Amino acid sequence: MRASYHEELSSVVDDLVTMTEKVSTAVEDATRSLLDADLALAENVIGADATLDQLHDDLESRCFTLLARQSPVAGELRTIVAALRMVADLARMGDSAAHVAKIARMRYPKPAVPEPMQQNFRRMATLAEEMVQIAGRTLRDRNVLDAEKMADDDEEVDNLRTHQFRLLLDENWNHGVEAAVHCALLGRYYERIADHAVLMGSRVIYIVTGMQPEGENWTIA
């Protein structure tokens, strides 16, 4: 019975890693649809969000089943609790990628991001995508050091977000109110993806060490 239980728990973790890979792809494709005004790709990202939601529901149900039918202790209990939180993080990252794609669709056939801001968004999107990938690897490998390093990338994302506001509020901004609103929203979506990736890293640290990083907020709206 315990052998089967451990197999089920390992399967949950493996599927979380797979879900992370799917979210990373969603972020990459959403960014391409955004910067290249690719309507078909935007539609694909929006449609694929339903698959991520199904994965969320399945993994959440399996975690609750393990809690109800087994008596997890120590590391096992930490893994299940962290998995429940991580699957929620991944679902929200997928939602954010879909929101990016929806703005790309709304602005089509024009690129949603004006040329002066494209380099900023390209870098922010690259960082967000890489952070999702790192989050998956840290979970797979239980790599606490890589999880801790994610804070540096998150700081760069925050700095890019600050620079976006400077551009949007600059008196030379001449791309209109609608573009400014969309850019402000897009920056927030990428920032949320990065924040949830950092949270995933924190949850890996919790699984391995049993310690919640000091001052860490484990929830994001």
Side-chain angles (χ1 to χ4, degrees):
M1 180 66 74
R2 293 301 286 183
S4 174
Y5 161 61
H6 285 294
E7 289 176 3
E8 291 174 14
L9 185 55
S10 295
S11 176
V12 165
V13 173
D14 289 344
D15 288 348
L16 271 174
V17 173
T18 298
M19 187 175 178
T20 304
E21 294 167 354
K22 292 182 180 298
V23 168
S24 176
T25 298
V27 175
E28 179 184 9
D29 289 348
T31 301
R32 286 172 53 205
S33 75
L34 180 72
L35 299 179
D36 299 340
D38 189 326
L39 181 60
L41 194 55
E43 295 286 6
N44 286 342
V45 173
I46 295 165
D49 190 47
T51 300
L52 291 175
D53 290 340
Q54 290 173 357
L55 283 170
H56 166 272
D57 293 345
D58 175 65
L59 282 164
E60 185 179 66
S61 176
R62 286 158 62 189
C63 286
F64 282 130
T65 297
L66 287 171
L67 283 172
R69 294 183 178 178
Q70 304 294 336
S71 300
V73 295
E76 297 168 353
L77 180 59
R78 292 200 301 270
T79 299
I80 296 173
V81 170
L84 281 167
R85 292 174 180 254
M86 283 190 278
V87 73
D89 289 326
L90 288 165
R92 292 189 178 107
M93 284 190 269
D95 290 341
S96 292
H99 288 318
V100 170
K102 287 175 182 177
I103 290 180
R105 182 176 64 181
M106 189 183 306
R107 298 286 293 177
Y108 182 83
K110 297 179 180 179
V113 178
E115 193 279 331
M117 298 190 76
Q118 289 223 354
Q119 182 177 356
N120 179 294
F121 272 100
R122 199 175 298 277
R123 176 58 181 164
M124 179 181 263
T126 296
L127 283 169
E129 181 189 343
E130 289 176 349
M131 289 172 73
V132 176
Q133 294 171 350
I134 293 170
R137 289 200 302 271
T138 59
L139 174 60
R140 183 192 63 208
D141 302 334
R142 303 294 199 273
N143 191 322
V144 171
L145 291 178
D146 281 352
E148 291 173 340
K149 292 176 183 176
M150 291 174 67
D152 293 335
D153 288 337
D154 191 47
E155 183 176 359
E156 184 177 353
V157 170
D158 291 341
N159 290 337
L160 288 165
R161 175 88 163 130
T162 299
H163 185 61
Q164 287 171 7
F165 280 119
R166 292 198 185 106
L167 293 174
L168 292 172
L169 297 174
D170 190 279
E171 62 182 11
N172 294 319
W173 176 265
N174 60 359
H175 301 283
V177 173
E178 186 177 19
V181 170
H182 285 154
C183 285
L185 288 172
L186 289 165
R188 177 59 176 152
Y189 295 143
Y190 283 113
E191 184 182 45
R192 284 166 65 95
I193 291 168
D195 287 343
H196 281 293
V198 170
L199 279 179
M200 283 190 66
S202 296
R203 305 192 202 292
V204 171
I205 294 171
Y206 172 68
I207 290 173
V208 175
T209 68
M211 299 294 293
Q212 179 178 330
E214 185 176 354
E216 189 72 54
N217 180 6
W218 272 40
T219 60
I220 297 175

